[in-house]
């Protein structure tokens, strides 16, 4: 499944109340490391289909969500399971780092 | 348009040259090796492009009179290297074996063989290593103003450092932040005159001289910095929402420890401009350069290493005829 955008108004429903773990990518169009992360997150959303949902939150347009989770550096990817943060990756660190993060919610 | 001069090696055969890294040194080397008909593999790393990917406008790279965005420059260099047949893999090298012939490089459990290697892994941010820094990374602590500056709109930020990269961070931040305080351990900047005057002429900039950060304080996110004056030892606190660390870089040489000679700071020891302590292993760019550390010098070093690779290959390749 491809990644999709989540906004402040549906963050609760799409992220926190999701039955499946959700990896939230906080990004902005002007951030070049975010653009490097983009194709990799797209790939992972297919590879981990049905096990993790990957969504994107544009920090320029969704200040509530980004400030609620103290996102002051982008890209920041936060992993949620049953509404709780279970892991966080700050900055773009490549595919392996994202996979290791996803495994925190999908293994065991 | 692709114009290829070298045949890629078959499975199990070595590349003429494998270049580790993907900044200006690596990509310039690849342009020269491919045009010199050497089969060229770039093991670029997952975070490809090097330090310029974390910059905005680059005004000192010749050929761009109006400046060019760092990431755009790197994408152009990558395209140019690939145009002449370089293979580009966005993976990290985990281990190298320079004792074998050909050399062996391990990437995600896959082994690549190389007749020659150019080490061009560059350098990465040097952090302050003070309490609170690691915990608050991405929660107010950053090293990339071009990435994060807009998140500090109308907020107070500090920049630590006194070189060109600290000035650049400050100048990017001042467009958004309500105030930018530069904290520097000496009483003058190392930065170029051009950068210094842009900083000093901006009314939103403050400078605290002779001081260093002792601790970074905050619960969920950064709240304040504890700083101390190196001359008087006096401590004080300043309230900020962001702190950007720009005190320099350290070479990315972890995987080369005990494989080639490194100096006491971890830089690759260079002999004869481009050579390492291992014959057939060359080096280029910020990973050995403690003096200049510019995109253009890295590119120049890449070109030099490429020339030496081609010479080395010519000298060491014996023509094997099929009987």
């Amino acid at each position: 499944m491809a990644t999709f955008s989540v906004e402040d108004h549906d963050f609760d429903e799409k992220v926190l109340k999701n039955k499946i773990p959700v990896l939230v990518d906080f990004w902005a169009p002007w951030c070049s490391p975010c653009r490097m992360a983009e194709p990799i997150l797209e790939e992972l959303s297919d590879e981990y289909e049905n096990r993790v949902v990957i969504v994107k939150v544009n920090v320029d347009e969704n200040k509530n969500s980004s400030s609620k989770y103290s996102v002051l550096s982008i890209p920041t990817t936060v992993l949620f399971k049953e509404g709780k943060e279970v892991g966080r990756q700050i900055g773009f660190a490549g595919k392996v780092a994202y996979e290791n993060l996803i495994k925190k919610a999908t293994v065991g | 348009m692709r114009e290829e001069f070298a045949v890629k090696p078959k499975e199990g055969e070595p590349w003429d040259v494998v270049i580790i890294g993907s900044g200006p040194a690596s990509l310039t080397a690849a342009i020269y090796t491919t045009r010199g008909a050497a089969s060229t593999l770039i093991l670029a790393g997952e975070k490809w492009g090097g330090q310029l990917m974390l910059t905005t406008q680059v005004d000192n790279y010749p050929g761009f009179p109006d400046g060019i965005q760092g990431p755009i420059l790197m994408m152009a260099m990558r395209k140019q290297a690939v145009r002449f047949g370089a293979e580009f893999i966005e993976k990290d090298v985990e281990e190298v074996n320079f004792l074998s012939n050909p050399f062996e490089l391990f990437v995600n459990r896959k082994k690549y063989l190389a007749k020659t290697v150019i080490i061009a892994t560059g350098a990465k941010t040097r952090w302050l290593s003070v309490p609170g820094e690691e915990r608050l990374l991405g929660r107010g602590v950053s090293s990339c103003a071009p990435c994060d500056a807009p998140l500090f709109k109308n907020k107070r930020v500090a920049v630590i450092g006194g070189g060109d990269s600290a000035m650049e961070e400050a100048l990017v931040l001042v467009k958004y932040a309500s105030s930018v305080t530069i904290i520097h351990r000496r009483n003058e900047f190392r930065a170029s005159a051009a950068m210094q005057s842009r900083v000093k002429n901006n009314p939103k900039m403050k400078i605290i001289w002779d001081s260093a950060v002792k601790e970074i304080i905050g619960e969920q996110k950064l709240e304040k910095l504890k700083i101390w004056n190196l001359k008087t030892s006096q401590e004080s606190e300043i309230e900020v929402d962001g702190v950007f660390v720009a005190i320099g870089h350290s070479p990315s040489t972890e995987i080369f420890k005990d494989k080639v000679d490194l100096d006491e700071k971890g830089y690759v020891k260079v002999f004869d401009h481009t050579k390492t302590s291992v014959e057939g292993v060359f080096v280029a760019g910020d990973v050995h350069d403690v003096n200049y550390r510019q995109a253009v010098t890295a590119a120049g070093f890449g070109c030099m290493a490429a020339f030496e690779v081609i010479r080395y290959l010519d000298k060491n390749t014996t023509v094997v005829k099929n009987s």
Side-chain angles (χ1 to χ4, degrees):
Chain A
M1 192 178 76
T3 66
F4 59 92
S5 289
V6 165
E7 283 160 21
D8 279 345
H9 71 87
D10 59 0
F11 194 92
D12 266 30
E13 178 202 342
K14 299 271 173 60
V15 177
L16 301 180
K17 291 183 180 151
N18 207 317
K19 298 261 189 312
I20 303 176
V22 185
L23 185 67
V24 182
D25 172 32
F26 291 93
W27 74 290
W30 39 261
C31 146
S32 64
C34 298
R35 274 181 272 157
M36 292 169 81
E38 222 167 68
I40 288 166
L41 293 170
E42 251 351 291
E43 253 174 68
L44 287 167
S45 71
D46 289 332
E47 286 169 27
Y48 284 82
E49 184 160 19
N50 300 327
R51 286 180 288 165
V52 71
V53 175
I54 302 181
V55 305
K56 300 169 72 67
V57 172
N58 181 324
V59 296
D60 285 340
E61 291 158 9
N62 301 286
K63 295 203 158 57
N64 288 346
S65 309
S66 40
S67 92
K68 185 173 171 194
Y69 294 99
S70 308
V71 174
L72 285 170
S73 204
I74 53 172
T76 287
T77 37
V78 183
L79 182 69
F80 292 90
K81 189 179 184 180
E82 289 157 6
K84 285 196 190 77
E85 175 175 340
V86 293
R88 180 181 285 234
Q89 168 67 44
I90 289 153
F92 172 65
K95 190 171 178 180
V96 178
Y98 289 128
E99 280 196 286
N100 289 340
L101 178 61
I102 289 171
K103 281 175 191 156
K104 287 188 183 173
T106 54
V107 176
Chain B
M1 191 177 56
R2 284 178 80 102
E3 305 163 57
E4 296 182 17
F5 303 107
V7 182
K8 290 199 173 102
K10 295 191 195 79
E11 190 73 34
E13 286 180 357
W15 291 82
D16 288 328
V17 57
V18 174
I19 305 172
I20 311 174
S22 53
S26 157
L27 295 172
T28 305
I31 291 165
Y32 278 86
T33 55
T34 48
R35 290 170 59 85
S39 62
T40 303
L41 169 66
I42 302 169
L43 295 174
E46 299 224 8
K47 287 196 272 184
W48 77 273
Q51 293 167 50
L52 281 181
M53 297 302 274
L54 305 177
T55 62
T56 51
Q57 177 126 323
V58 178
D59 280 326
N60 54 12
Y61 199 86
F64 301 97
D66 303 317
I68 181 168
Q69 296 289 312
I72 289 172
L73 179 61
M74 294 322 298
M75 283 183 230
M77 283 193 201
R78 174 175 172 171
K79 244 171 122 180
Q80 197 172 349
V82 170
R83 172 179 157 202
F84 298 115
E87 181 94 358
F88 191 99
I89 299 180
E90 288 176 35
K91 289 257 191 290
D92 294 333
V93 175
E94 283 137 12
E95 206 191 325
V96 296
N97 180 1
F98 293 156
L99 297 172
S100 64
N101 180 17
F103 303 127
E104 298 173 326
L105 302 120
F106 297 89
V107 176
N108 209 2
R109 276 170 249 109
K110 195 171 153 52
K111 183 165 81 181
Y112 293 92
L113 302 175
K115 291 182 198 165
T116 65
V117 168
I118 300 175
I119 297 173
T121 45
K124 54 189 181 313
T125 300
R126 196 148 64 84
W127 293 99
L128 299 169
S129 304
V130 297
E133 178 176 60
E134 208 180 328
R135 190 172 53 82
L136 293 167
L137 185 66
R139 297 170 182 270
V141 178
S142 173
S143 72
C144 181
C147 310
D148 301 336
L151 304 176
F152 292 89
K153 201 165 183 211
N154 300 324
K155 292 183 175 172
R156 302 151 303 177
V157 300
V159 173
I160 318 299
D164 268 350
S165 56
M167 300 301 113
E168 199 210 326
E169 300 272 293
L171 289 165
V172 170
L173 284 161
V174 83
K175 291 181 199 156
Y176 301 92
S178 58
S179 72
V180 177
T181 305
I182 304 175
I183 300 167
H184 185 43
R185 49 189 311 128
R186 299 198 293 159
N187 62 3
E188 58 184 354
F189 289 138
R190 236 180 15 252
S192 66
M195 294 295 257
Q196 285 199 40
S197 74
R198 283 170 67 194
V199 164
K200 288 177 178 164
N201 291 333
N202 192 309
K204 272 159 66 179
M205 299 273 193
K206 284 181 245 170
I207 302 168
I208 301 179
W209 301 110
D210 297 316
S211 298
V213 177
K214 202 160 204 181
E215 192 181 346
I216 296 175
I217 302 161
E219 288 285 323
Q220 274 305 301
K221 55 185 178 182
L222 171 64
E223 288 157 25
K224 56 193 175 186
L225 303 175
K226 186 187 278 182
I227 61 173
W228 64 295
N229 185 300
L230 279 79
K231 285 191 174 152
T232 64
S233 295
Q234 198 173 11
E235 282 185 16
S236 56
E237 287 185 347
I238 59 167
E239 287 185 16
V240 285
D241 305 289
V243 60
F244 288 76
V245 179
I247 56 165
H249 294 87
S250 57
S252 302
T253 50
E254 290 82 1
I255 57 168
F256 305 114
K257 213 173 156 232
D258 303 324
K259 314 283 177 167
V260 297
D261 288 355
L262 306 178
D263 73 9
E264 65 285 354
K265 284 188 172 159
Y267 288 88
V268 174
K269 269 196 189 164
V270 63
F271 305 91
D272 229 0
H273 308 297
T274 61
K275 293 174 184 141
T276 69
S277 57
V278 177
E279 207 184 324
V281 178
F282 299 83
V283 63
D286 285 14
V287 71
H288 78 66
D289 170 26
V290 293
N291 284 315
Y292 308 107
R293 296 173 295 195
Q294 300 301 302
V296 67
T297 51
F301 284 127
C303 165
M304 286 153 63
F307 267 100
E308 294 308 321
V309 160
I310 301 285
R311 282 191 191 139
Y312 179 90
L313 288 169
D314 285 346
K315 209 168 64 188
N316 289 279
T317 306
T318 43
V319 181
V320 181
K321 287 199 178 115
N322 291 325
S323 50

